[in-house]
Amino acid sequence: MSKLQQRLMRELQQNRNIKIVKTAEWCIPIRTVDVTYEPVRRSTMDVLMTMLLLSIQEADFGNVEELSELLLVDPLFIEDLMSLMIRVGLMKNEEGFFKLTEKGQQQLEQGIFEEELEVEASTLYFSPCHQSFLTSDVNNDEYDELPELYRYVDKEAEQQEQFDESLIIAALQEVDKEDTGNSQRIIARVVEVEAQQINDSPCLEFILYDKEQDILFVRVWNMLLNQWDHCLEQQLTDKEQLMWREQYL
């Protein structure tokens, strides 16, 4: 018996009314999914950028010096900021004058500045049993030979290779967190999704009897998540509670 299993059994039996009537080990399939995506950095628009965009919206300016004189800001600061705004598509030079683009108008109204970043790549892990992405790495180092497959694996779902984009973005947002001050990275678009191999990830099952309440229930430790898995616990409770009573009581 593994040290982890022994530790969990001690934890579960801290309540003297709880008795472990059965333990089991099995695996859930985990699909590796490689994703490329476009992140953006979103921040509150600063005062100088707001004033520049408002000035260009209200009047025709053909050079940096005119804006510098109006806003009383060093031309170098104005030039650097305008170069950035042209690069990210907030404004353009049209017929000798600076003009706001539709994107620039929209961000000015929202007071939000979004800067597109380089395309990035990440590896996600999809569990057909959860119908969602799990955020830890697959790690089966403790096992020389993996246990049998979870008895309620949906074979059709196990072969799934197409994934809902909203699920992918939510999972990417979890692994791509960056929130500093008034700046935040968000996932703007999923570029490409490639389903790769399936790995088996172990879980530990404990069927428990509460003598005080006269009920049977299950706890499942998901070794991929390194925590109790309430989703799998609910699945087993829904499917097997009657059978447990007939078998163990």
Side-chain angles (χ1 to χ4, degrees):
M1 186 180 299
S2 70
K3 290 182 180 179
L4 172 62
Q5 192 174 34
Q6 292 178 34
R7 177 177 67 79
L8 295 174
M9 290 175 69
R10 286 196 299 270
E11 177 184 326
L12 292 168
Q13 294 180 109
Q14 285 181 352
N15 183 337
R16 294 183 179 181
N17 293 311
I18 300 298
K19 175 185 176 183
I20 298 173
V21 297
K22 183 184 178 183
T23 64
E25 299 177 58
W26 33 263
C27 290
I28 56 172
I30 300 293
R31 167 79 73 176
T32 300
V33 181
D34 291 334
V35 182
T36 54
Y37 60 97
E38 292 179 355
V40 300
R41 179 169 286 110
R42 175 180 289 174
S43 58
T44 303
M45 190 173 289
D46 65 34
V47 174
L48 181 55
M49 183 180 288
T50 302
M51 294 304 297
L52 270 173
L53 292 173
L54 284 171
S55 300
I56 293 167
Q57 181 184 51
E58 296 298 326
D60 292 333
F61 292 91
N63 57 65
V64 169
E65 286 71 22
E66 292 175 348
L67 285 161
S68 174
E69 290 176 9
L70 174 69
L71 300 174
L72 302 176
V73 176
D74 190 296
L76 289 176
F77 290 115
I78 299 291
E79 187 172 5
D80 286 346
L81 187 53
M82 291 186 69
S83 295
L84 170 63
M85 292 194 294
I86 290 172
R87 178 169 57 82
V88 300
L90 299 188
M91 55 182 288
K92 58 186 177 180
N93 196 313
E94 187 177 85
E95 298 179 354
F97 295 103
F98 298 115
K99 302 290 183 182
L100 264 62
T101 62
E102 184 178 346
K103 178 180 177 181
Q105 183 67 47
Q106 183 182 51
Q107 292 194 21
L108 175 60
E109 291 173 359
Q110 296 173 343
I112 298 295
F113 172 55
E114 285 189 357
E115 181 182 3
E116 295 176 1
L117 304 175
E118 294 292 326
V119 171
E120 297 185 18
S122 185
T123 298
L124 302 177
Y125 301 98
F126 182 79
S127 168
C129 297
H130 297 74
Q131 278 299 294
S132 65
F133 289 94
L134 306 183
T135 55
S136 299
D137 289 345
V138 178
N139 185 354
N140 299 327
D141 293 344
E142 291 191 22
Y143 287 83
D144 296 326
E145 184 176 343
L146 289 170
E148 63 184 13
L149 203 60
Y150 177 47
R151 52 194 176 276
Y152 292 115
V153 170
D154 184 331
K155 293 297 182 182
E156 194 170 309
E158 185 182 6
Q159 299 306 315
Q160 182 174 342
E161 295 189 359
Q162 301 296 321
F163 309 98
D164 185 273
E165 185 170 337
S166 63
L167 288 178
I168 295 174
I169 289 176
L172 287 170
Q173 205 66 64
E174 278 295 309
V175 300
D176 192 55
K177 283 182 178 177
E178 181 186 300
D179 192 353
T180 55
N182 67 344
S183 177
Q184 180 186 26
R185 272 171 61 105
I186 62 171
I187 309 303
R189 187 173 74 89
V190 174
V191 178
E192 187 177 12
V193 179
E194 290 188 24
Q196 305 292 350
Q197 76 275 10
I198 296 175
N199 296 308
D200 290 338
S201 181
C203 294
L204 303 177
E205 175 186 354
F206 303 88
I207 299 176
L208 309 170
Y209 175 58
D210 186 325
K211 291 179 283 187
E212 185 176 45
Q213 300 186 56
D214 189 31
I215 58 170
L216 283 156
F217 62 101
V218 66
R219 300 303 310 272
V220 175
W221 183 266
N222 188 323
M223 294 180 69
L224 176 65
L225 300 176
N226 196 34
Q227 66 184 30
W228 296 110
D229 191 318
H230 301 305
C231 177
L232 294 177
E233 290 171 356
Q234 189 60 54
Q235 285 180 22
L236 287 167
T237 299
D238 292 344
K239 292 176 181 294
E240 296 196 357
Q241 198 164 49
L242 179 60
M243 183 182 72
W244 292 336
R245 294 198 68 82
E246 293 174 347
Q247 187 172 354
Y248 301 114
L249 296 182

